Amino acid sequence: MATEKSKTEKLQGMIGKSWKHTNDIVYKFLGFNESGEIITVATDKEWQQTTIYDLNVFIRQFTEVEVATNGEVAVIRKEIPTKMVQSIVVPGNTMERLRDTLLESIEKVKQDREYIPQAQSISNAVNSIVGLAKIEIDLRTKM
């Protein structure tokens, strides 16, 4: 899995260059700022925001171009050589909280059999969250 640092290194490599977006607008990337999970990209036309989790998707929307003095645009590369690596999109300490809740439920079931229905409900909710993360990863992979 790509680390947050390697993801932002890809973005760093885009700074100072011109990039054509899938909407056919050409942007010159001027810089970016990270604030927690939010990344704000400064271009010559506007500010754009994405999250660290969606950064690969954001980057794939751009093709490097060269802009001539007369305004003509020539594609340098068909696409950015970036491998679509997915991060599980469960924010911050959520995984830790889920793990703690499951372990706590196991202990309660060991102590009190009447807790089993509540533990099953917790387990079902956790399985739903995991399922949603899998679906999102699958969708991002296909983008």
Side-chain angles (χ1 to χ4, degrees), residues 66-98:
E66 195 171 276
V67 180
T69 55
N70 65 2
E72 288 187 30
V73 175
V75 174
I76 294 176
R77 286 186 262 185
K78 193 145 182 110
E79 68 177 56
I80 302 167
T82 179
K83 182 178 178 187
M84 192 66 160
V85 178
Q86 299 303 317
S87 299
I88 296 176
V89 293
V90 180
N93 65 350
T94 302
M95 288 302 291
E96 185 177 316
R97 289 185 5 233
L98 289 172

Side-chain angles (χ1 to χ4, degrees), residues 103-120 122:
L103 292 173
E104 183 180 309
S105 294
I106 291 169
E107 289 303 315
K108 286 183 180 178
V109 167
K110 286 179 181 178
Q111 295 170 3
D112 183 4
R113 292 291 218 191
E114 292 181 20
Y115 188 75
I116 290 175
Q118 189 174 352
Q120 286 173 330
I122 291 169

